[in-house]
Amino acid sequence: MGSTEITLHRGDITKAEVDAVVNAANSGLLGGGGVDGAIHRAGGPAILEACRELRRTTLPDGLPTGQAVATTAGDLAAQWVIHTVGPVYAKSEDRSELLASAYRESLRVADEVGARTVAFPAVSAGVYGWPLDDAARIAVTTVRNTESAVREAQFILFSDQVLDAFVRAAEPSG
């Protein structure tokens, strides 16, 4: 297992031509807003059906925060969607380990299914309220430091503001 190349892009993650797209899901796995809703809309009903099957079988209580699971990608260019649940930001409690876990577990699942190229969104940086610079730092550092067979991790970011935060986080320090 070598090091994963990290690339940063502004764009629509549903159009990523990669083996697996990471979905910033909610624990219910039945679709939602933001990236989650976009992936479900673009991927079609096959993704929701696969999620419903997981809820009927292995994940009756939903997917815990910081964990990840793969389903078909339906109509997306990718072969798999890796659903992960990031934590909601809380000033009163350091939940950064849960955010790092969402990225680590996504890479572990990518290895399980054989994905070598993976597109990540900015997990927890949208409606979950995580401060952008910190979300970007945790994302980039975790992916950089996690042993994985993934060759390329693309961060596909939805705005210039988010992209700028990831560019700063990816700069070599000192």
Side-chain angles (χ1 to χ4, degrees):
M1 296 210 216
S3 65
T4 302
E5 179 191 1
I6 293 174
T7 59
L8 307 173
H9 313 270
R10 183 176 188 280
D12 178 351
I13 197 166
T14 67
K15 295 183 170 49
E17 295 190 9
V18 291
D19 297 336
V21 169
V22 174
N23 179 21
N26 57 56
S27 62
L29 290 178
L30 302 177
V35 169
D36 193 15
I39 285 173
H40 276 273
R41 282 190 300 277
I47 298 172
L48 183 57
E49 189 43 51
C51 288
R52 285 187 174 132
E53 184 60 23
L54 286 169
R55 291 296 307 270
R56 272 196 298 274
T57 55
T58 53
L59 295 166
D61 299 323
L63 185 64
T65 301
Q67 298 300 302
V69 65
T71 66
T72 178
D75 299 331
L76 297 177
Q79 196 170 348
W80 298 282
V81 173
I82 297 172
H83 306 267
T84 191
V85 181
V88 174
Y89 180 73
K91 273 196 176 106
S92 59
E93 178 189 358
D94 181 4
R95 309 187 79 196
S96 51
E97 182 47 41
L98 282 170
L99 183 53
S101 177
Y103 286 101
R104 269 196 309 274
E105 287 296 305
S106 294
L107 289 167
R108 181 188 62 74
V109 170
D111 285 348
E112 271 179 17
V113 299
R116 297 294 170 259
T117 54
V118 178
F120 285 94
V123 176
S124 292
V127 293
Y128 282 11
W130 208 280
L132 263 185
D133 286 325
D134 196 47
R137 177 189 59 78
I138 291 168
V140 170
T141 304
T142 303
V143 171
R144 195 177 271 155
N145 296 337
T146 300
E147 281 296 315
S148 169
V150 171
R151 289 192 314 268
E152 184 187 9
Q154 300 180 7
F155 283 97
I156 312 246
L157 307 158
F158 58 87
S159 73
D160 289 336
Q161 184 186 10
V162 178
L163 177 61
D164 290 347
F166 273 75
V167 167
R168 286 192 298 274
E171 286 170 353
S173 49

